[in-house]
Amino acid sequence: MLTALTVWVLGAEYSLCFNAENKFIVQMAELQDRWARKMESEHGHKVIIMGGSNVMFSIICEQLVTHYDLPAVNMGLNAGIGAQVIAERAVAQAHAGDTLVLAFEPGLLTGSLRPPAFGIQFSYAMHRPDWAVAPTLHGTRVPIPSALLALRPGASHIFTLLAKLIAHKPLYSYQVANASPSGWNRTAIRRPLPGFPAQRLILSDDARQFLRSFRDWSDQHQVRVVYSLPWHWTPPDAVKDFQRKNAEFLLQISEYLPVLRDPLIGADSRIEDFSDLVWHLDEEGSVLRTEELGRELTNWQLWQPHELRRIVEDLSAASPASAESGSPGS
Amino acid sequence: MNFAEIRFWELLIGALVLILAVRFLVWRLHQASLEWFDKLALLSLGLFLLMCVSWVTFIIYLVVAVGTYVGLAWVLRHKQMVRGRYLFVLLTLQLLPLFYYKYANFVTNQVLGLGIYSLRGLLIPVGISFYTFQKVAFVIDTLHLRKPMPRFLDYMNFAGFFPQIVAGPIERRENLLPQMERFRFHWSKDCINEGAGWVALGLFFKCCLADNLVTYFDASSTHNAYLIWMANLLFGLRIYYDFAGYSLIALGVARCLGIRLTLNFASPYVSTSSTEFWRRWHITLSQWFRDYLYIPLGGGRTRCWALTIAIVFIVSGFWHGAGWNFVLWGALHGTFLIGNRLLGPKLKLPGPAAWFLTITGSFLAWLAFYELRTSMLAAKLQALFTPAAYSWAALHEAFARWPAADGFGLSCLLAIIVAVLMLEWLSVRWQSQPYSLLLRPPVLVGLVGLTILLAPETNNGFIYFAF
């Protein structure tokens, strides 16, 4: 028992204080929080853009402030934290009059919303275990014993750490030093971008309940909410198919939240816009994405469900071979 | 009753605290009732934990358990001469729920092609194969050995002892019933120390080894022999550490309560023959088939011994699951055993070669256990026996399957498993005591540390719950 307790304490201490990935995310979150306080004090309200690393590596809030006078706050973290913890953190910072832009990677809304271990570790590192164990929105209340057990590093992390140490590789790829004061980050790393995901995007039941509770919460707290689909690297020959799948996905989202009218429908075929991952834009790509987001938010340009439905139909007709039967929400 | 879930331990500890509090009152107020109270409390604890699994599981268990007791009492009321006839009726009734939930869909739709689709969605109640076999053995032993009917409370504790009810070991009357008749909530330091060791080892097997192996298991390749062998190896290791882990935790929990269950696994992967493998793998099931099927069919002393072995192993495969793949799995093991008996004494292979042959055979058979789709199973078996599937290109493809980080992780995990298997081998060969070296306090401390550090956040259900 004593051994178990000692190893657990050491493991938890490592996860919360020494794990390079967690340290990076916590420092980025603190940076973002400082910017949020600045926006709040200077403008009296703010536009919170939340999501996984696609937000951190794509949205330049300084540009939104100077070009569009939008007091934007980048609350992009890491999709590995899970939708629940990302949303809980943003909701905790939002007040009446604010705007919340949900820029989740679709994968965050197609499965269970139960916070993964990394999300639980982040909650504890931020001294907000309630994000995992007692969420404000609809979510999974992770029992406290399970949450405490999730503070252990786990085999996957330890083996990866060992491999990095043996190969003398840096313990984490990204650095806080590369971030702008608002929390937009960039990386010099370039990797070959992997193959294209082919599966349809169907909202999970968990995500539907979450979106419903998110909408109800925003109504009660007079916070404006909207969904913005992140840009994803898409080979030119797959753009139509990907846009159709994204339009299907947005159609499902539109049952709960308004959806920003992104003309690319999430499919960016310019590989030079991306850095190391399919969701991570480089500087040029970030400027373009931020500009587009600023325009959509300022003019409150939204997709209407019938427009999305028509896009799905048109694109299905254009590429019937790859279109599966039926479209969700239609 | 998933021992790898925190919820189980919360419920168990909570219930035990309550029981001990009430027991203290009973001890103060009416000491003469303590024996009765202890047995009733153990029964209530078992039923409560089973109810927490699911209502359906609980009710079906209750029907089988009470039905067996009432049925046996009824058979015993008749004269010795006619008991055989009534025994047949009782055994049929006992096996009926098992047949309905586990085999009705397979037999009616896949074998007979009757198209009764309502049977397709049937969920198999947890543990039904295990407790049904335990009760069948109880009935046969009571009648055959002319044992007296136990008291109802003792019988219910024997039939529903919570550590072993859902996945064994399948206990026999002569081992477990007398312990239940003597049962008291005694807290012996020696028992708890011994039990805690088994629980820690079981949790290490399940949470550290089996649950991490799941991450790397990939059964998608149908043409690359190396990848198929890798899947077989990972599945074979996973199912062993998963099921042995469960059995050891059951053994440990029971030991803490002062009950000694049968060791269900004895390091089967150190075996150097098929016969030895089946003496070490799922021991209580092997003994059940030996005593209630193999020996009644004539055993090994008849001219048809090979046929008897084949029947026993095909039935054993069918016990594991309703599907042709399980029948093939049983048939493969039957064939290995027959081959072992025919050729073993003539070949007299050196130890390492015999071990390699035995282990290769059992890992080959695992393919038929996890691959439920007949066409895929056939394609994979064909690949394994096609020389071209072992080309350099296939080897290169197999290595490319895992990115560097995953490959390193898998290598680390396999290194731990090799070390554990070495300790198992040393325990068996040097000390003739399975797992004895792993149960040494310094080793256990290391295993507990590894479990806490390496166990994944989410555990997977025990594979054998499906049976």
Side-chain angles (χ1 to χ4, degrees), chain A:
Chain A
M1 251 343 236
L2 194 64
T3 311
L5 197 65
T6 310
V7 177
W8 175 80
V9 169
L10 291 174
E13 180 73 8
Y14 165 79
S15 298
L16 300 184
C17 304
F18 299 102
N19 177 343
E21 193 175 6
N22 206 11
K23 255 168 79 173
F24 168 78
I25 290 292
V26 169
Q27 287 171 1
M28 284 301 299
E30 287 165 357
L31 188 81
Q32 294 167 355
D33 289 351
R34 276 198 295 277
W35 181 264
R37 285 194 291 274
K38 183 174 180 300
M39 290 296 106
E40 186 83 39
S41 64
E42 288 176 5
H43 298 262
H45 68 103
K46 55 192 180 299
V47 177
I48 296 172
I49 303 145
M50 60 164 160
S53 59
N54 88 80
V55 175
M56 186 195 284
F57 284 90
S58 323
I59 308 298
I60 311 168
C61 292
E62 290 89 343
Q63 186 183 331
L64 288 171
V65 176
T66 49
H67 291 195
Y68 294 96
D69 197 26
L70 286 170
V73 178
N74 184 327
M75 284 214 179
L77 290 171
N78 179 327
I81 283 171
Q84 178 176 315
V85 172
I86 295 174
E88 287 292 323
R89 173 173 172 247
V91 158
Q93 302 243 6
H95 307 295
D98 287 352
T99 301
L100 270 174
V101 180
L102 195 77
F104 281 177
E105 291 86 343
L108 284 173
L109 297 172
T110 53
S112 163
L113 261 62
R114 187 185 199 278
F118 188 36
I120 296 169
Q121 290 169 9
F122 172 73
S123 306
Y124 274 87
M126 294 293 289
H127 308 290
R128 291 299 303 269
D130 54 306
W131 294 342
V133 301
T136 311
L137 303 169
H138 167 84
T140 307
R141 287 174 179 271
V142 181
I144 290 173
S146 300
L148 292 175
L149 270 183
L151 301 183
R152 299 165 305 112
S156 169
H157 178 82
I158 287 182
F159 293 153
T160 311
L161 180 73
L162 269 178
K164 284 177 177 173
L165 289 172
I166 291 168
H168 297 290
K169 282 190 173 173
L171 295 184
Y172 197 57
S173 313
Y174 308 126
Q175 292 174 358
V176 182
N178 291 335
S180 74
S182 73
W184 167 63
N185 209 323
R186 69 208 106 170
T187 176
I189 301 168
R190 295 291 179 273
R191 289 197 192 105
L193 298 180
F196 182 69
Q199 70 272 28
R200 288 175 77 191
L201 301 165
I202 311 284
L203 278 182
S204 64
D205 291 342
D206 226 8
R208 285 181 181 277
Q209 284 179 308
F210 163 76
L211 290 173
R212 200 174 293 128
S213 77
F214 186 58
R215 183 190 57 199
D216 296 344
W217 176 90
S218 65
D219 288 346
Q220 280 170 17
H221 293 80
Q222 296 169 307
V223 171
R224 195 164 62 151
V225 291
V226 70
Y227 181 79
S228 169
L229 187 65
W231 287 3
H232 185 288
W233 144 244
T234 315
D237 58 343
V239 165
K240 285 203 160 77
D241 186 41
F242 191 48
Q243 285 181 330
R244 181 179 54 79
K245 283 170 181 152
N246 282 344
E248 280 182 354
F249 179 69
L250 293 177
L251 197 53
Q252 299 166 68
I253 296 274
S254 68
E255 292 172 30
Y256 307 95
L257 304 178
V259 175
L260 284 178
R261 192 188 189 91
D262 164 31
L264 293 183
I265 323 178
D268 182 357
S269 60
R270 283 164 36 102
I271 198 158
E272 59 272 25
D273 284 349
F274 291 85
S275 57
D276 62 327
L277 292 175
V278 288
W279 296 109
H280 290 183
L281 295 168
D282 65 1
E283 291 196 39
E284 199 183 330
S286 298
V287 170
L288 289 173
R289 161 81 168 132
T290 306
E291 203 60 24
E292 184 56 46
L293 182 67
R295 199 163 32 239
E296 291 161 15
L297 280 170
T298 308
N299 302 326
W300 203 242
Q301 292 173 324
L302 302 174
W303 284 116
Q304 299 304 318
H306 70 272
E307 292 174 311
L308 289 168
R309 207 166 289 131
R310 197 170 56 239
I311 290 170
V312 173
E313 286 163 6
D314 290 350
L315 291 174
S316 298
S319 56
S322 60
E324 290 114 326
S325 58
S327 64
S330 61

Side-chain angles (χ1 to χ4, degrees), chain B residues 104-105 107-117 119:
Chain B
N105 174 44
V107 172
T108 54
N109 293 324
Q110 289 191 46
V111 179
L112 301 174
L114 296 177
I116 303 173
Y117 301 115
L119 294 173

